[in-house]
Amino acid sequence: MTKAKKIKKIAVFTSGGDAPGMNAAIRAVVRTAITYGAEVYGVLRGYDGMIYNDFVRLESHDVSNILQRGGTILKSARSMEFKTKEGRKKAYENLQEHEIEALVAIGGDGTFTGAQIFASEYNIPIIGIPGTIDNDLYGSDATIGYDTAMNTVVEAIDRLKDTADSHNRLFFVEVMGRDAGFIALNTGIATGAEGILIPEVETTVNDLKITLKTNLKKGKTSGIIIVAEGDDSGGAYEIARKVKEIDNTYNTRVTVLGHVQRGGAPSLADRLLASRLGFHAVEALFLGKNNLMVGIQNNKAVYVPLEKAIKENSEINPELLRLARVLSI
Ligand code: F6P
């Protein structure tokens, strides 16, 4: 174990949308920090808890038996108050009162945007851990919760395919992803969807209509169209309505999977990813690193500036787009 810097107290928090595997990350942070000889505090409800002085001491036994649980034992929130200078000042004063010397922030782009502003105003080292089902951060091959969420979607769509086939129906299935189509694209390939609509690719109802017409000619009377919630078509209900407007042949149904995608026990991949990221985040603090996000790329721990993680967004793999088209004929 490398020891470069003495930090006596660190705090960890989860913020933004929860993601399966966040608990495994909290456990790893707590146990690694204890191994390094530090005391650990958990902040409840993300930045809100920092502002309202909601800190709990976390010992090793406090994180026993949480590895396999979805959600976050520390609770989460999207704090409006932390967006204000006064909110951040209160948060900093509370950190000082507890003599917290460094922070581990688990969350997505909103969490890291807050962390970055905070780090620029106050002298406190922060390491970010990517925790969001959306996988929309640059610098890590995957974010915590992404794999579990996709497995949940695949299970749901497999079920929908049974009923779609029995009734010759076309299902429009909306999956999460406000700004990103990663969940939609990957689950679409994994379930053999007839169409995948994502924010990164412009959707034209006409293209979809042509695909559906060709399918009908081939005798395909049921199917699945996956729509990422952030797609420019306006969501699954809207696209289903538009398709019906121009072609009423199909018997359509809409299913919005919603927050079901955020819950449940984390997959093996997410437990492992979260454990590794939690461990490396704490090691980074003890190595004197600051204002970075830890990620895993090509099976190795890497560090990218928080600013880069938020701004550069992971890109959709064009090979997957082509593959989806070819395999869905
Ligand atoms: O960022 C994760 C996410 O699940 C997005 O996919 C979704 O758009 C959003 O959170 C939903 O947020 P909320 O839980 O606040 O409704």
Side-chain angles (χ1 to χ4, degrees):
M1 181 168 295
T2 346
K3 194 157 187 163
K5 200 172 186 285
K6 185 75 196 145
I7 301 173
K8 288 198 244 33
K9 285 187 190 177
I10 73 162
V12 56
F13 62 96
T14 48
S15 150
D18 61 347
M22 279 183 163
N23 282 328
I26 295 167
R27 171 179 175 270
V29 167
V30 170
R31 294 197 168 163
T32 310
I34 289 173
T35 306
Y36 268 99
E39 269 180 32
V40 190
Y41 284 78
V43 188
L44 299 179
R45 296 173 292 106
Y47 293 116
D48 275 350
M50 221 179 273
I51 295 169
Y52 289 95
N53 217 358
D54 241 343
F55 291 75
V56 285
R57 176 80 195 273
L58 293 173
E59 306 275 8
S60 184
H61 62 83
D62 293 315
V63 292
S64 290
N65 216 17
I66 64 166
L67 173 78
Q68 72 280 26
R69 283 168 49 194
T72 158
I73 59 159
L74 293 178
K75 315 274 185 195
S76 195
R78 300 187 198 275
S79 176
M80 286 303 143
E81 239 179 300
F82 198 73
K83 292 188 175 165
T84 66
K85 249 191 175 331
E86 301 72 52
R88 293 193 293 275
K89 183 165 175 281
K90 271 200 243 165
Y92 184 67
E93 285 164 2
N94 289 330
L95 290 175
Q96 282 203 306
E97 187 192 315
H98 289 277
E99 297 173 331
I100 308 282
E101 295 165 58
L103 291 173
V104 176
I106 309 173
D109 54 357
T111 307
F112 295 166
T113 304
Q116 218 212 324
I117 299 170
F118 200 47
S120 71
E121 290 173 342
Y122 300 99
N123 184 23
I124 181 145
I126 307 178
I127 297 290
I129 294 181
T132 162
I133 65 162
D134 291 352
N135 199 37
D136 58 349
L137 292 165
Y138 174 84
S140 189
D141 292 342
T143 54
I144 296 171
Y146 174 52
D147 182 69
T148 307
M150 288 196 296
N151 281 303
T152 304
V153 170
V154 165
E155 193 192 326
I157 293 179
D158 285 349
R159 287 166 193 256
L160 288 174
K161 282 181 80 151
D162 291 344
T163 174
D165 185 52
S166 305
H167 288 268
N168 284 336
R169 281 175 173 158
L170 178 67
F171 271 81
F172 289 84
V173 184
E174 187 173 299
V175 299
M176 276 189 166
R178 223 177 349 205
D179 312 301
F182 296 105
I183 295 179
L185 180 58
N186 286 278
T187 59
I189 293 170
T191 57
E194 277 63 34
I196 304 169
L197 312 185
I198 57 174
E200 293 84 349
V201 179
E202 201 195 331
T203 300
T204 71
V205 188
N206 227 23
D207 286 349
L208 190 56
K209 200 184 111 188
I210 293 166
T211 309
L212 295 175
K213 273 232 142 63
T214 322
N215 285 353
L216 269 183
K217 273 195 203 132
K218 284 185 290 193
K220 266 196 192 184
T221 47
S222 71
I224 301 285
I225 307 293
I226 303 195
V227 187
E229 66 172 327
D231 184 68
D232 57 302
S233 62
Y237 278 103
E238 186 57 16
I239 189 83
R241 191 189 62 74
K242 285 180 190 159
V243 167
K244 248 195 139 59
E245 227 170 59
I246 35 179
D247 188 341
N248 209 6
T249 335
Y250 273 104
N251 183 1
T252 61
R253 288 290 185 276
V254 176
T255 299
V256 176
L257 293 180
H259 287 78
V260 161
Q261 294 160 92
R262 289 241 296 262
S267 65
L268 177 143
D270 275 327
R271 295 179 199 198
L272 200 56
L273 176 69
S275 302
R276 291 178 79 183
L277 292 176
F279 168 79
H280 287 295
V282 174
E283 277 222 332
L285 287 174
F286 280 88
L287 287 171
K289 294 188 198 290
N290 178 15
N291 213 0
L292 299 170
M293 182 194 87
V294 58
I296 302 286
Q297 285 176 17
N298 299 322
N299 208 23
K300 281 209 173 68
V302 293
Y303 298 93
V304 291
L306 284 174
E307 192 184 358
K308 207 168 171 184
I310 312 159
K311 292 215 175 111
E312 289 205 8
N313 270 351
S314 292
E315 275 178 17
I316 288 283
N317 181 348
E319 182 211 319
L320 291 185
L321 284 174
R322 262 192 319 126
L323 183 100
R325 259 178 240 127
V326 171
L327 300 189
S328 66
I329 56 167

